[in-house]
Amino acid sequence: MNFVEELRWRGMLHDIMPGTEDLLNKGMVSGYIGFDPTADSLHVGSLAQIMTMIHFQRAGHKPFALVGGATGMVGDPSGKSQERNLLSEDVLQLNLAGIKSQLEKFLDFDCGANSAQMVNNYDWFKDFTFLDFIREVGKHITVNYMMAKDSVKKRLEGETGMSFTEFTYQLVQGYDFYYLWKNHNCALQMGGSDQWGNIVTGTELVRRKGVGEAFALTTQLIKKSDGTKFGKTEGGNIWLDAEKTSPYKFYQFWLNTSDADAKTYIRIFTLFDRETIEALEAEQDAAPHLRVLQKALAKDITIRVHGEAAYEKAIKSSEFLFGNIGIEFLSELNDDEVLALFEGVPNFNISQSELQQGINVVDLLAAHTAVFSSKGEAKKMIQGGGAAINKVKINSIEDVYNTDTLISGKYLVAQKGKKNYFLIIAG
């Protein structure tokens, strides 16, 4: 497998320094990508770089995942309009542990010569004094060179300006490259296209300080066809951590991808070969309503991030809400999974003691909760056959519900029509 050609046909390649492809064709190359440790989980925005590393390793090269314990204490100005809050060492260590456990799902850390390796730049910066830094690094890169970078220009032209901390970030990242080049034979740094300036500073430092040669490669920044930011929803980031973003919500994120984006994402975020992808695209073009690409994409990524069992549960959750799976499915879920399933759905609380005595269905849906705006509306809907509790149509306005009706001793699911759900929680 040719690494660069793989990125090209998948539409991932953005910039590549002359000589990089020749280097990669000569034999195994060590290369790295840096990951931002500002949270204890990566999000789907990081997946493009993870996929780059997967392709790199599959092509026979050795990937280094650099988690920026030191650079996370500074903050990268690239693509940012204002300075980020600095993180404490304790928070950073917690974040590093979470990120490492996630990367181990994707990369092989025990496969011989090209085993993946994780490094933390805090290890070589923690005892590096400021005076040592400006002597060993600062003298090799001119201010004119640093000022010419787009990430610096944009911030200096903006209203907030740029702190000295952020201005020196490219030197810190550049030294990372030099350190890995010198100590781990890393000849290539990869990253998103917004990192080109920082990466090239590293190659320049290797040339000037190490009197050596290093190379750079960047991938396309992922954007949605409608211009909105990839990886964001109204609820915020889509995380790889199941506790931050449930597998059901994660699956739905990919399933709800537009047709245009699905054709892009299927190439970037899966390991399907070209023949498989082109066959899926042909199916999609012939019957767009079947959403073949979205289903294949969502299945593949959900299984690789969360596992087969989580994917199956996500499918059942979808069928519960939009298909024919019965109410008993709720008893298979824990409280967090139930709440995740009904995220964005109106929910109401009632007391166990009141419910134990029995509550008339009209009072339950229009007085104790606001499933219906009035008792009159509730009666009309029930008598018309348009209301259900626990996926069973309500037969009469005289029906009474009590704690025996609760699912898992805690939940009632009300429906107004087929698609309007309401979660009632008895506490």
Side-chain angles (χ1 to χ4, degrees):
M1 171 181 153
N2 182 297
F3 172 61
V4 175
E5 281 304 314
E6 187 75 14
L7 297 187
R8 277 200 181 104
W9 82 259
R10 289 182 181 273
M12 296 173 70
L13 189 66
H14 189 271
D15 285 313
I16 183 167
M17 185 174 284
T20 303
E21 199 162 0
D22 291 337
L23 173 75
L24 291 165
N25 290 335
K26 289 177 183 176
M28 187 181 79
V29 174
S30 293
Y32 85 97
I33 292 178
F35 291 90
D36 183 357
T38 51
D40 60 357
S41 170
L42 299 171
H43 49 76
V44 294
S46 308
L47 272 178
Q49 295 313 314
I50 292 173
M51 294 305 299
T52 301
M53 295 188 79
I54 292 172
H55 292 307
F56 189 68
Q57 187 172 43
R58 281 161 57 94
H61 303 297
K62 183 177 179 65
F64 282 78
L66 184 148
V67 187
T71 40
M73 300 175 86
V74 178
D76 180 6
S78 302
K80 307 293 190 304
S81 59
Q82 59 185 8
E83 187 164 356
R84 297 185 308 195
N85 294 327
L86 307 187
L87 302 177
S88 70
E89 186 176 338
D90 287 345
V91 171
L92 277 168
Q93 293 305 317
L94 183 69
N95 294 352
L96 294 175
I99 291 170
K100 182 177 182 182
S101 68
Q102 290 178 341
L103 288 176
E104 287 172 342
K105 294 180 180 179
F106 300 97
L107 300 171
D108 193 338
F109 284 78
D110 186 22
C111 62
N114 74 322
S115 294
Q117 190 170 335
M118 175 170 279
V119 290
N120 177 2
N121 61 10
Y122 183 73
D123 292 338
W124 55 83
F125 273 115
K126 62 184 177 183
D127 297 320
F128 205 172
T129 69
F130 177 70
L131 290 177
D132 287 339
F133 184 77
I134 58 176
R135 281 172 54 88
E136 297 298 321
V137 181
K139 72 177 182 178
H140 293 285
I141 304 293
T142 67
V143 171
N144 288 353
Y145 180 90
M146 295 171 70
M147 293 279 286
K149 293 292 189 295
D150 286 342
S151 60
V152 174
K153 282 181 180 179
K154 289 176 182 176
R155 287 293 297 278
L156 291 178
E157 292 168 359
E159 296 180 2
T160 59
M162 173 180 273
S163 69
F164 176 75
T165 303
E166 286 191 303
F167 181 60
T168 57
Y169 183 91
Q170 61 177 291
L171 293 182
V172 176
Q173 185 171 328
Y175 184 77
D176 284 341
F177 199 173
Y178 169 76
Y179 182 91
L180 292 174
W181 171 84
K182 182 179 179 181
N183 295 281
H184 294 283
N185 196 33
C186 266
L188 173 66
Q189 183 181 171
M190 299 165 283
S193 59
D194 61 336
Q195 291 296 310
W196 181 258
N198 291 336
I199 294 173
V200 172
T201 297
T203 65
E204 191 68 10
L205 193 58
V206 168
R207 185 181 71 81
R208 296 184 184 187
K209 180 175 171 62
V211 194
E213 195 171 22
F215 298 87
L217 180 153
T218 61
T219 53
Q220 302 279 358
L221 292 182
I222 310 302
K223 297 178 181 178
K224 293 175 71 173
S225 57
D226 64 3
T228 57
K229 189 171 182 180
F230 169 76
K232 291 272 191 180
T233 67
E234 291 182 5
N237 284 323
I238 300 297
W239 300 94
L240 305 190
D241 185 338
E243 292 186 6
K244 294 180 182 293
T245 299
S246 71
Y248 167 72
K249 186 177 178 182
F250 185 85
Y251 174 79
Q252 287 293 322
F253 170 78
W254 298 102
L255 190 66
N256 291 326
T257 300
S258 71
D259 289 350
D261 287 332
K263 288 186 176 182
T264 300
Y265 298 166
I266 198 81
R267 293 169 180 256
I268 295 173
F269 296 111
T270 76
L271 294 174
F272 298 149
D273 59 27
R274 185 182 297 199
E275 184 180 358
T276 301
I277 289 175
E278 288 176 350
L280 287 169
E281 289 173 338
E283 284 188 62
Q284 180 87 347
D285 291 340
H289 64 285
L290 296 179
R291 300 177 67 77
V292 171
L293 279 179
Q294 286 91 336
K295 289 176 182 176
L297 174 68
K299 177 180 180 179
D300 181 74
I301 300 180
T302 303
I303 289 176
R304 283 192 292 119
V305 173
H306 294 298
E308 187 89 35
Y311 163 72
E312 294 294 343
K313 194 172 281 188
I315 290 291
K316 285 186 176 181
S317 296
S318 297
E319 292 178 351
F320 173 80
L321 291 176
F322 308 113
N324 298 316
I325 284 189
I327 195 67
E328 63 278 358
F329 170 68
L330 273 197
S331 62
E332 299 178 23
L333 307 181
N334 61 38
D335 287 345
D336 288 339
E337 289 172 331
V338 170
L339 295 176
L341 176 61
F342 287 99
E343 184 178 356
V345 169
N347 60 79
F348 307 100
N349 294 292
I350 59 174
S351 71
Q352 286 267 3
S353 58
E354 284 183 288
L355 194 59
Q356 198 164 19
Q357 297 171 20
I359 302 175
N360 170 266
V361 67
V362 175
D363 291 333
L364 175 65
L365 299 181
H368 291 269
T369 67
V371 173
F372 293 98
S373 58
S374 68
K375 290 185 179 182
E377 183 192 2
K379 289 178 181 178
K380 184 177 179 181
M381 198 74 158
I382 291 169
Q383 290 170 335
I389 288 181
N390 292 345
K391 289 210 160 188
V392 177
K393 189 179 293 185
I394 302 167
N395 292 319
S396 167
I397 59 173
E398 303 300 330
D399 285 355
V400 173
Y401 288 82
N402 55 38
T403 50
D404 292 339
T405 325
L406 293 172
I407 305 300
S408 300
K410 192 171 185 178
Y411 304 106
L412 290 173
V413 177
Q415 283 173 270
K416 183 164 63 174
K418 287 186 177 181
K419 296 183 178 179
N420 297 311
Y421 281 92
F422 304 84
L423 182 65
I424 301 172
I425 305 170

